[in-house]
Amino acid sequence: MTEGYNFAYLDEQTKRMIRRALLKAVAIPGHQIPFGSREMPLPYGWGTGGIQVTAAVLGASDVLKVIDQGADDTTNAVSIRRFFAKTAGVRTTTHTAEATVIQTRHRIPERQLRDDQIIVYQVPMPEPLAKLEPSRTETRKMHALADYGAMYVKLYEDITRFGHVSISYDYPVMVNNRHLMSPSPIPAFDNPKLHMSAALQLFGAGREKRVYAIPPLTPVNSLDFEDHPFRATRAPHSCGLCGSDTSYLDEVVTDDRGGRLFCCSDTDYCEGRRQSATAE
Amino acid sequence: MAYVAVKGGERAIDNAHAWLAEARRGDPAVADIGTDQIAQQLGRAVDRAMAEGSLYDRDLAALAIKQAQGDLIEAAFLLRAFRTTLPRFAASLPLETGAIRPLRRISAVFKDLPGGQVLGPTTDYTHRLLDFSLTDGTPPPAAPLTAAEPEAMPRVHDILGREGLIEPDAPDGAEPGDLTREPLAFPAGRDLRLQALARGDEGFLLSLGYSSQRGYGNNHPFIGEIRMGEVAVEIEPPELGFAIEIGDLVLTECQMVNQFGGSKTTPAQFTRGYGLAFGQGERRAMAMALVDRSLRAAELGEDATAPGQNAEFVLGHCDNIEATGFVEHLKLPHYVDFQSELETLRRIRAESL
């Protein structure tokens, strides 16, 4: 562990402040709670909110997994995992099943999470209405009044222009039938995993100084219309490495003549499938 | 296929950092730059890093500038990340800038005034010609010294205030807020607005202040006074019950005189805009004073139509550490989101063709 810094970098007072905000967040699912976000030694926009939330909930016996784009080996995931290995000395893993705390950017693991796991999302823009109304003073009022008509109008306009809702990621959800929430920029494909998840889901936005939460077993619905129900989409291929035809796929350009390889974005899921295939 | 098999993330990061360290050092045949040289000879860079880093420490700022290879936003970021770990053992008493030990003091509204006009070490009247003598280390000629008569230097605003010509600037008695501890909420009081501006990006403040002069929110400012010099910092430990001095800061303070406010009940008065910067930060202090005055539009009953008058816009975007983080995060991988966009676009196109 790094000398001179407290366990998991933040001092205990700060962690307590964040935990108080998280308790409030759990009590009002999907509602954004302001918190005294600190300057972290990593840049804003690179996961400072997630890092502060992880630091606040992490204990010495926890096992931490960090993913970015579903993968454990992407540079920013490596950097954040190292940060906690260094400042908290906790055990880290790449296996979803082994982790007690999972910090993620842009994905939810394919493997179903359990009730003894916490997933921490890095959030760039916690305000789901920001693209429709830039003033946070106004959006606060809209949330207070559950005045979400503007978002439904946006979805309707998409359908009239394109035939579909054109939001592919950070697809807005209604939490506990009350608060409109940004699920962070996960692909819409992952949205159904938010619904009635057994794991506690925590969201941290450092630069915007907000946390919010989805307690276990909370209904989370992606916004849609009865005649235009929400549809999760993925590339219509099987993984070129493990053969999965249900996982979310990355598209990798293999040459300059149109060659493509589609493979799982969740690297742990993909490796697990390949290992059990060779074992058989 | 190397891309998919990427497992080299950790090694790649280590190697990149090693290369960075080498690039920072540059040609080893050239002497290593000392942080003392930066602190002494790149003073304005140090001042800016301290202001935007919100930490008054010339030596640490010099180190940050060296580590950041002269990138001042990166240097300010290093200082902020250090500052956030420091314990807070006391809050100082309000600084008495009226008792500044002046290195510079000018007023643009009175030709002469008690304490006089003191130009100090200014670049204002230099001709901007590259001085090639600086390349060969020739020492500068000694600056002439005259014994100064210590003379009181009352604030211009206090002189105007005696006649009631300018609005009073009385403290409201409330404990000032701290946006580094509590998240900013709107409407934000002037204490928090000034705190945000004091650590805001100089370029952003400069452009906003400039826009207010060009008609985007009308400011009609005069420089009442700029003073730069040393001010004592005092704290009052509860167990002592009296104030003790813990050090000195070099500060630049700018007091703007702006056009009238007033109503049927209050006679017309000049209004104030205030700027304060660590070190010798005249451009920053002036820009801050312009923006401070702009942000008082609502309070003074003016139409708030320009960007510089919108507190949520200004305070939400003036912090360059937040701004650079979010702009630069676009470098991080986004292939999952991009993939979802590709699929959506392909589907829409397939159905419309």
Side-chain angles (χ1 to χ4, degrees):
Chain A
M1 263 163 53
T2 305
E3 296 289 315
Y5 287 107
N6 193 33
F7 176 81
Y9 183 75
L10 294 174
D11 60 277
E12 294 303 316
Q13 288 295 338
T14 300
K15 286 198 242 175
R16 224 166 283 156
M17 175 271 294
I18 297 170
R19 286 197 287 262
R20 277 197 292 268
L22 289 172
L23 285 174
K24 215 190 257 188
V26 168
I28 317 172
H31 177 54
Q32 302 165 52
I33 311 295
F35 80 111
S37 177
R38 299 294 191 253
E39 269 130 350
M40 301 299 286
L42 280 81
Y44 284 122
W46 298 52
T48 55
I51 292 170
Q52 289 181 77
V53 169
T54 298
V57 300
L58 206 62
S61 60
D62 272 311
V63 181
L64 178 69
K65 172 180 165 85
V66 183
I67 51 172
D68 187 342
Q69 313 298 301
D72 298 274
D73 54 13
T74 32
T75 42
N76 203 43
V78 168
S79 164
I80 293 171
R81 186 165 55 244
R82 275 184 166 190
F83 176 76
F84 281 113
K86 211 156 64 174
T87 59
V90 292
R91 198 152 76 78
T92 61
T93 182
T94 58
H95 298 304
T96 304
E98 276 179 20
T100 56
V101 177
I102 301 170
Q103 179 167 330
T104 180
R105 176 169 173 265
H106 294 193
R107 270 315 307 275
I108 301 176
E110 304 291 353
R111 168 190 273 273
Q112 199 173 358
L113 300 178
R114 300 182 311 260
D115 62 4
D116 60 342
Q117 293 180 307
I118 298 177
I119 181 163
V120 178
Y121 297 79
Q122 300 173 200
V123 181
M125 279 290 177
E127 180 48 72
L129 298 164
K131 285 190 178 132
L132 306 173
E133 168 53 64
S135 164
R136 302 303 192 265
T137 311
E138 289 306 314
T139 56
R140 267 172 60 119
K141 273 186 222 157
M142 293 163 78
H143 285 293
L145 302 169
D147 174 10
Y148 299 132
M151 185 57 89
Y152 281 103
V153 171
K154 142 93 186 140
L155 299 187
Y156 171 75
E157 285 176 347
D158 272 7
I159 291 167
T160 55
R161 277 182 69 198
F162 303 118
H164 298 281
V165 173
S166 70
I167 307 171
S168 337
Y169 60 92
D170 205 349
Y171 190 106
V173 293
M174 192 66 79
V175 179
N176 207 24
N177 303 309
R178 173 57 182 86
H179 281 98
L180 187 70
M181 191 196 89
S182 155
S184 88
I186 56 172
F189 173 86
D190 280 341
N191 273 20
K193 297 181 191 144
L194 298 162
H195 179 63
M196 300 304 275
S197 168
L200 171 62
Q201 306 182 74
L202 302 175
F203 297 77
R207 189 179 39 78
E208 298 281 339
K209 301 163 183 65
R210 296 287 185 278
V211 291
Y212 50 98
I214 305 174
L217 306 176
T218 302
V220 179
N221 300 304
S222 304
L223 288 202
D224 62 358
F225 298 103
E226 278 172 22
D227 51 345
H228 280 270
F230 171 82
R231 266 203 301 170
T233 54
R234 61 189 284 282
H237 301 275
S238 322
C239 171
L241 303 176
C242 78
S244 168
D245 49 15
T246 54
S247 70
Y248 192 76
L249 301 175
D250 281 341
E251 178 173 339
V252 180
V253 178
T254 52
D255 55 42
D256 57 1
R257 299 177 303 278
R260 294 285 193 275
L261 169 72
F262 289 88
C263 58
C264 295
S265 110
D266 183 336
T267 46
D268 174 55
Y269 173 82
C270 194
E271 273 160 33
R273 280 177 51 88
R274 275 180 281 157
Q275 268 167 19
S276 47
T278 37
E280 274 162 22
Chain B
M1 269 326 68
Y3 185 92
V4 183
V6 171
K7 266 287 177 198
E10 303 210 11
R11 214 178 56 228
I13 289 176
D14 286 339
N15 292 346
H17 291 174
W19 192 355
L20 170 68
E22 221 176 82
R24 176 190 296 125
R25 176 58 184 88
D27 181 352
V30 176
D32 187 38
I33 190 169
T35 52
D36 55 339
Q37 292 173 307
I38 296 172
Q40 286 294 317
Q41 298 174 37
L42 295 178
R44 300 300 75 72
V46 169
D47 291 340
R48 183 164 179 183
M50 291 195 306
E52 289 166 7
S54 263
L55 183 72
Y56 194 96
D57 188 316
R58 301 199 77 80
D59 297 330
L60 286 180
L63 170 61
I65 290 167
K66 179 174 179 175
Q67 187 176 333
Q69 299 173 276
D71 176 342
L72 295 186
I73 293 183
E74 178 71 14
F77 179 21
L78 290 166
L79 290 177
R80 289 263 192 107
F82 177 77
R83 172 195 196 274
T84 188
T85 66
L86 299 176
R88 288 151 187 245
F89 56 87
S92 78
L93 297 176
L95 300 178
E96 182 44 85
T97 53
I100 203 164
R101 289 185 291 282
L103 298 167
R104 172 168 167 81
R105 188 276 196 110
I106 54 160
S107 170
V109 295
F110 292 117
K111 185 169 183 184
D112 199 6
L113 66 172
Q117 306 263 16
V118 181
L119 289 187
T122 181
T123 56
D124 281 357
Y125 311 102
T126 57
H127 296 152
R128 269 56 169 207
L129 305 170
L130 281 175
D131 180 354
F132 294 102
S133 74
L134 291 174
T135 57
D136 59 15
T138 317
L145 280 178
T146 358
E149 302 283 320
E151 191 186 352
M153 199 175 259
R155 292 191 186 91
V156 167
H157 281 51
D158 293 344
I159 297 169
L160 290 168
R162 234 164 275 144
E163 257 186 276
L165 292 173
I166 193 160
E167 58 174 341
D169 200 11
D172 59 6
E175 193 67 18
D178 182 353
L179 60 83
T180 68
R181 300 276 120 176
E182 296 292 328
L184 200 55
F186 296 98
R190 194 168 173 216
D191 53 340
L192 291 166
R193 299 199 307 254
L194 288 170
Q195 185 188 10
L197 298 179
R199 50 198 249 136
D201 182 74
E202 184 170 316
F204 183 79
L205 298 179
L206 181 67
S207 295
L208 275 180
Y210 178 47
S211 73
S212 77
Q213 290 180 286
R214 287 191 69 252
Y216 287 85
N218 271 335
N219 249 340
H220 300 280
F222 297 97
I223 297 286
E225 180 176 31
I226 291 172
R227 49 175 70 199
M228 186 269 290
E230 274 189 342
V231 184
V233 182
E234 293 181 319
I235 60 167
E236 198 176 284
E239 62 273 26
L240 282 185
F242 55 87
I244 51 169
E245 215 179 288
I246 55 165
D248 293 306
L249 302 179
V250 174
L251 293 174
T252 305
E253 183 184 56
C254 173
Q255 294 261 15
M256 293 269 186
V257 183
N258 295 265
Q259 256 183 7
F260 328 125
S263 63
K264 279 189 180 139
T265 49
T266 330
Q269 284 181 317
F270 286 120
T271 56
R272 295 169 184 252
Y274 185 76
L276 188 72
F278 281 160
Q280 196 171 336
E282 205 157 288
R283 183 190 304 124
R284 155 180 290 278
M286 290 174 70
M288 176 176 167
L290 288 175
V291 178
D292 169 47
R293 177 60 185 80
S294 291
L295 290 178
R296 298 183 61 211
E299 163 199 345
L300 295 169
E302 299 163 349
D303 288 336
T305 50
Q309 296 169 315
N310 181 334
E312 211 181 316
F313 176 79
V314 174
L315 304 189
H317 303 104
C318 67
D319 191 294
N320 57 18
I321 311 299
E322 290 177 4
T324 198
F326 199 52
V327 167
E328 294 199 50
H329 104 284
L330 294 172
K331 290 183 278 194
L332 292 178
H334 283 79
Y335 20 87
V336 163
D337 292 347
F338 189 70
Q339 186 62 37
S340 65
E341 293 270 60
L342 281 178
E343 294 309 327
T344 301
L345 195 60
R346 281 173 181 149
R347 196 174 73 189
I348 290 171
R349 286 169 59 85
E351 286 168 13
S352 65
L353 289 175

